[in-house]
């Protein structure tokens, strides 16, 4: 499966590859109407606009740092996953998007290992049956994804932070891939770099995920960037990911200016396939 990931409606409908991924809700708070037939991507707790409108919604680190775009290591605002009203409204938006087609969730979970120590989370953890804060966080995120899956008729994909080292995802975000297996239809891992002057890190990380997810029966899609790269380099990188990391699909982050590169990349890969099956 090959496709583009874009926020451009025209490009999403341009039939580049098998199925487009379309940004419906972005981390800056932009919201668009979902596209029929696309995998519609919804930013979950990444929502700079929500934090700007209501600063009390921000996730808070153990040292008091708030998850805003200005904080070190944060590139956008992140809402606390315990904020019930935001969570409920988010699930309603996911349900609405899911009534149109498949849904991909991005920015699922906490924005770092030291989050969240806001009053909401401190109270919720104290009142929970968990002794261990990391286990409580993981339960909160698993429960959210299960609730989202209940509301989406089509496939539900979850984007994973690109760190396959055992335990790191759980520690960083609260995502436990094995716990999500009953609820999701795919994982997507973004491995984006401009031009791919080097590719060893893409292969290493993809291979790491293939090993880490080996026992989990959930298809893996790798997201690459089509910016400033030529089609043969992108096609060769895709071949490597398919053969060495067993990727089930590759989706290319594409601006309208890069559409021809992606079209040519997919053409080259299709030639490979027809040669193999001839
Ligand atoms: Zn919190």
């Amino acid at each position: 499966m090959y496709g583009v990931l874009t926020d451009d409606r025209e490009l999403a409908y341009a039939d580049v590859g098998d199925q487009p991924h379309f940004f419906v809700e972005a981390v800056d708070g932009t919201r668009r109407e979902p596209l029929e037939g696309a995998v519609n991507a919804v930013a979950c707790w990444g929502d700079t606009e929500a934090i700007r409108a209501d600063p009390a919604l921000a996730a808070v680190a153990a040292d008091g740092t708030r998850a805003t775009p200005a904080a070190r290591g944060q590139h956008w605002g992140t809402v606390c996953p315990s904020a019930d009203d935001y969570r409920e409204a988010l699930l309603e938006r996911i349900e609405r998007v899911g009534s149109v087609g498949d849904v991909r969730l991005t920015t699922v979970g906490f924005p770092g290992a030291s989050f969240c120590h806001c009053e909401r989370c401190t109270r919720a953890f104290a009142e929970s049956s968990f002794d261990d804060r990391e286990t409580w966080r993981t339960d909160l995120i698993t429960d959210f994804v299960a609730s989202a899956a209940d509301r989406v008729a089509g496939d539900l994909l979850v984007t994973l932070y690109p760190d396959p080292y055992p335990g790191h995802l759980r520690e960083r975000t609260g995502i436990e891939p094995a716990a999500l297996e009953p609820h999701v239809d795919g994982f997507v891992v973004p491995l984006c770099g401009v031009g791919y002057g080097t590719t060893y890190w893409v292969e290493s990380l993809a291979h790491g995920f293939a090993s880490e997810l080996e026992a989990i029966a959930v298809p893996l899609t790798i997201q690459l960037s089509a910016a400033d790269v030529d089609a043969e380099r992108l096609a060769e990188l895709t071949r490597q990911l398919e053969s060495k990391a067993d990727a089930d699909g590759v989706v290319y982050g594409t601006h309208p200016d890069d559409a021809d590169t992606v079209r040519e990349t997919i053409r080259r890969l299709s030639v490979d396939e027809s040669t193999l099956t001839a």
Side-chain angles (χ1 to χ4, degrees):
M1 198 291 292
Y2 306 119
V4 293
L5 163 68
T6 182
D7 60 6
D8 187 278
R9 238 160 236 279
E10 214 170 296
L11 175 56
Y13 276 136
D15 280 336
V16 185
D18 306 307
Q19 189 182 28
H21 288 215
F22 181 68
F23 283 114
V24 174
E25 299 199 9
V27 291
D28 64 0
T30 303
R31 291 176 189 168
R32 302 178 181 86
E33 285 301 307
L35 285 187
E36 259 181 64
V39 177
N40 288 295
V42 177
C44 290
W45 284 289
D47 190 338
T48 301
E49 176 55 26
I51 300 293
R52 195 198 57 75
D54 183 1
L57 280 177
V60 181
D63 68 358
T65 301
R66 296 170 62 255
T68 68
R72 179 174 296 155
Q74 304 292 319
H75 303 288
W76 49 76
T78 300
V79 175
C80 161
S82 294
D84 286 337
D85 289 352
Y86 182 90
R87 180 185 190 274
E88 200 46 46
L90 172 59
L91 284 168
E92 282 171 18
R93 298 202 305 275
I94 289 170
E95 182 169 4
R96 199 171 77 80
V97 173
S99 68
V100 173
D102 297 342
V103 178
R104 168 180 169 182
L105 304 180
T106 70
T107 61
V108 180
F110 293 83
S114 63
F115 292 87
C116 177
H117 286 263
C118 76
E119 283 177 18
R120 275 177 305 258
C121 285
T122 302
R123 195 172 49 242
F125 172 54
E127 289 171 357
S128 77
S129 57
F130 294 97
D131 298 326
D132 172 59
R133 198 158 185 137
E134 198 177 301
T135 310
W136 168 76
R137 285 177 12 134
T138 305
D139 183 70
L140 186 75
I141 300 307
T142 303
D143 181 67
F144 168 78
V145 174
S147 300
D150 285 344
R151 296 175 184 230
V152 173
D155 285 353
L156 182 71
L157 282 67
V158 169
T159 306
L160 302 179
Y161 186 87
D163 185 347
Y165 197 83
H168 277 195
L169 262 176
R170 175 188 158 105
E171 184 186 322
R172 174 187 282 268
T173 65
I175 285 183
E176 175 94 83
L180 298 188
E181 184 179 6
H183 310 297
V184 304
D185 304 287
F187 290 123
V188 185
V189 176
L191 297 173
C192 303
V194 174
Y196 294 107
T198 59
T199 57
Y200 61 87
W201 59 275
V202 182
E203 291 163 29
S204 300
L205 287 170
H207 194 190
F209 272 103
S211 304
E212 187 58 9
L213 302 176
E214 198 172 15
I216 303 173
V218 175
L220 173 66
T221 297
I222 303 290
Q223 177 186 324
L224 299 176
S225 167
D228 290 337
V229 62
D230 66 68
E232 182 48 36
R233 191 164 190 83
L234 205 50
E236 182 53 25
L237 182 54
T238 304
R239 292 180 194 111
Q240 297 284 340
L241 296 178
E242 287 172 332
S243 65
K244 291 188 183 163
D246 224 8
D248 299 287
V250 176
V251 62
Y252 304 95
T254 312
H255 293 291
D257 288 352
D258 307 318
D260 285 344
T261 303
V262 175
R263 213 174 257 117
E264 175 60 17
T265 300
I266 294 173
R267 190 194 67 77
R268 287 172 187 235
L269 294 163
S270 310
V271 170
D272 293 350
E273 269 175 29
S274 54
T275 312
L276 282 173
T277 52

